[in-house]
Structures are given as structure tokens and as C-alpha cells.
Amino acid sequence: MPSHLSADRSAAQPPQRGSVDALISQTRRLRGEVDAVRRDAPVDGEDPQGRWQRALCNLAMHQLNDLDEHLAQLRDGPPPVPVQPAAVPAARAVPAASRRGSLLSRVGSAEWNLLTDEASWSGELYQILGRDPAAPPLTLDELPSLVVDEDRPKLTAMVTDCLIDAKPIDGEFRVVRPDGGVRTVHMMGEPVLDADGSTASMWAVLRDVSELRRSQRTVSETRDSLQRERHIAQTEHRLAVELQEAVLPPWRGSLRFPQRGAQTLDLTARYLPSSTSALVGGNWYDALELPDGDTLLSVGDLTGHGVAVASGMAMLLGALRGMAVTGTQPGQLLSWLNQLLDASVQPALGGAVCCRYRPQTHTLSWAQAGHPAPLLFRNGTGRALAAPDGVLLGATSGAVYGQAEESLEEGDLLLLHTDGLVPREWRSPRSSEAESGGRTVAVQRLLDLAPRFDGARSAQDCVRMVVEEFGETEREDDACVLIARVGS
């Protein structure tokens, strides 16, 4: 090795130990905090956010480990430089205990003398490459024999640029160890010039970055997977919204049934999306003027979210309209909807209320399937209608649904809503008794609006009051509300 290079290295002063120790302490404290985040990350293999979080934490841990080890080597100084190339390198004589837990197991050094064609490797480089420490180090001509075929041109170009153009080396390549294992090595080096400015030798530090690159690939693959899943989710959301908008009644203001004649119903409905989920659920509302002058009113909700649920809702609502036109009564309608849902390819559960209003007699016939009963408001007070028997749609084959009748008066207001309208914390049950009590609280919050409804001019004003009361609430599910006001 040229004398001026030895003098330069010996003249380099080590950094202050106190400053480096402080950096090491900070790094280890940060590593502990990242490790805590990693342990708290979700372990569900199907959760893309959890996979992304774990991958980033693992990458950060690798990089912090490397930083800790780099700082330790900076504090302890460089390893001994071999003097006799033919002998076992001096670094290999360092006791194993002094290297335990340090960077030396993953960073090695080498120097190739162009004048004598001699090479010297540190013991750590032998470990990285899986070579026998008793074997002579490979020359620059022999080094490519360890490298995978597709990476050899890269190594050759780096070495050529260094030796001919005196450019520094900074690049990676993969090597195949004698045991068949493939490791990724990052080499940084520089030419050593003699007195006349020509290249006398090449010195390099080689670092095993296999684990780091593996973690980076995991992060990249997880990011790509997450982006694909987000794209799929966005597409499904758009399709679900379009399907929902195509199926639900297009009216947004007030509607009057029948459109001609007396004894009209003043109708308004509103769909309220979830405030905690971007997914579209299976809620619906509907009002349909039937051929005989009656009016069909319904609200319902299929469990779940997404395109499959929205398409199931569309199927049920289409079937409900078609069967109602034939004159089928509410109890029988729900029984047939239950059979339809029970026979569908994708099993699902749903709740629904189906009402048929006859304006000539002001009579309301209705049935329910595991769903909140309609609320009737009259003269400033309100009550829930007594519900006939009826289980959730899709819960059991051959279910029979009871039917009830209620006489309405001019000025009466009927409110139908799905479960998601009322916040879950108001009705979060842990038992059947708790569920009953929770729903009582939820219903009471709606019944408390009775005095305000009594002073309202239209059904649209009443819906606006409901939205003001519940629309800004953090709901875990989407919801529908439909209000019908009986006219003269």
C-alpha cells in the first residue's frame, strides 16, 4: 500500500466518544419506539393497512440497526488492516467476542494492488462471501466469478471506471455463496493514486445489504398491493353508488300520492351516508303509487357493504315493486322476499318494513321483518306502532310474516327509518334485554320530535328536522328515513 495512504489514515482522528455515544443512545431509544409500534401493528394477514405498517416498521428496524452498528464502528475505529496479503488477514485474528453484535459481521474491506496484482481481504469479507478464510483472496479478474450472471456487467463497469477514469465506486451486485445462498452486496470504493497520479490500487468497503433490500422489497410490494386494493375499492365504491342511485327513487323534494285526486300523501325521504365508512350499504327507501290508487311505502337494509350488497338491495327492491303491483299484501310480500333472499347465491340478512296505504279509507296495512316499527305522530305526540311477528329476511326458510292495520287521520305523520339512523352507542346491546332497552332509547329520541313535527308545514320540513337531529352524528352505518303526511 502506498505510504501516503497509510499516513493519511493514521492521521485521521477518531470522533469524540461522548458525541458518538449520545447518538448511539438516541438511535437505540428510537429503535425501541419503532419496535413498540411494530408489536402493536395488526396481525391480520388480510388487512392491507396492517401489512403496510408492519413492512415499514421492519424496514425502519433494519435501517436503525445498521445505523447503530455504523455508529459503534465509528466509535471503536476501523478494523486492523492486513499487512501480508498471503497470510491470514489481521482482522480475522480479532477475538470473536470483540465483534459480537457489531457491524463487523456485515461489513468487510478489500484492497487490490495493481502494481503487484496482490489482493487483501478482511476476515469479515470472507464471512459475507462465505469463503474459506484459509483461501487466498480473489483478484479483480477473479471477483466476477462470484457474481450472478446478470450483475457481472455492472461490476465490470464500476471497476473499469475506477481504474481507468479514477471514478469512485458506489453500486450493488448479487453474489452466490458456496452454499448456494445469494447475497446482495453494496460496494463503495475509490482509487488509490501514486505520486505521478496514476492508479496504484483500489480500496473498497463491501456491505451485506440482503436483509435491508428484502425489507425494502416487502415495503414496495406491500405498497403496490395496497394501491391495487385501493383502486379496486374505489372502483367497487363507484359501482355501488351508481347502482344505488339508479335504484332508489330519483325524487329529492316532496312527492304527492296519488298525483291526482284527494286524500293525498305528502312524501319526503332522505338517504344519510355513514360518517365512518366510505363503503355503500344496502339501505333503501321507496314510495310507489300502485295501479288501484294505493301507495306502497317501504324501507329496509341488507347487512354488509359494497357492490354485492348494493346489487342484492336492488334485486329485493325490484322484486318488491313488481309483486306489489299485482296487489300482494305486505305480509305476503315479505314472505316472498324472504324466499328470494334464502335462495340467492350470496346468503344475506335484511330488515324491512312494508306498508300499503289505502287513501279512500285512510287505512295502513303493514308488516315488518326484524325492523324498527313505523312511528305515528298525531296532535303533537308520537308512538311506535305495535309490530306484528316477523323475523329478519334470510334468517330462516319458510318464515311467515304477520300483518297489522292502523287507521290514519288527516294531519297524521308516519315516519319509517332504518337502524343506522340512530347512533350505535345509544343502542349497543349485550343481550336481548339490552337490545330492547337500547331501541326504546333510540325510538324515544325520535318521538321527542313530535312537538316540532306538529308545527311543521310539510313532510320535507320534518325530514329536515330529523337530519338536523341525527345527520351530523357519527354513524357507523348508512341510513334512510321516509316521512309521509296524510292530507285531506
Side-chain angles (χ1 to χ4, degrees), residues 102-125:
S102 75
L103 182 67
L104 298 183
S105 60
R106 285 194 292 164
V107 173
S109 61
E111 187 164 355
W112 290 273
N113 192 310
L114 303 182
L115 303 179
T116 63
D117 201 27
E118 294 175 339
S120 59
W121 286 6
S122 69
E124 291 68 40
L125 184 55

Side-chain angles (χ1 to χ4, degrees), residues 220-261:
S220 177
E221 292 168 359
T222 305
R223 182 185 62 245
D224 294 343
S225 174
L226 184 58
Q227 289 175 344
R228 287 193 299 270
E229 291 176 0
R230 283 176 176 169
H231 177 71
I232 293 172
Q234 290 171 353
T235 302
E236 290 183 347
H237 175 72
R238 185 179 66 253
L239 291 175
V241 170
E242 292 175 353
L243 180 59
Q244 183 188 62
E245 291 178 345
V247 172
L248 293 183
W251 44 277
R252 293 294 181 265
S254 294
L255 188 68
R256 290 185 179 273
F257 284 161
Q259 297 181 10
R260 299 175 182 177

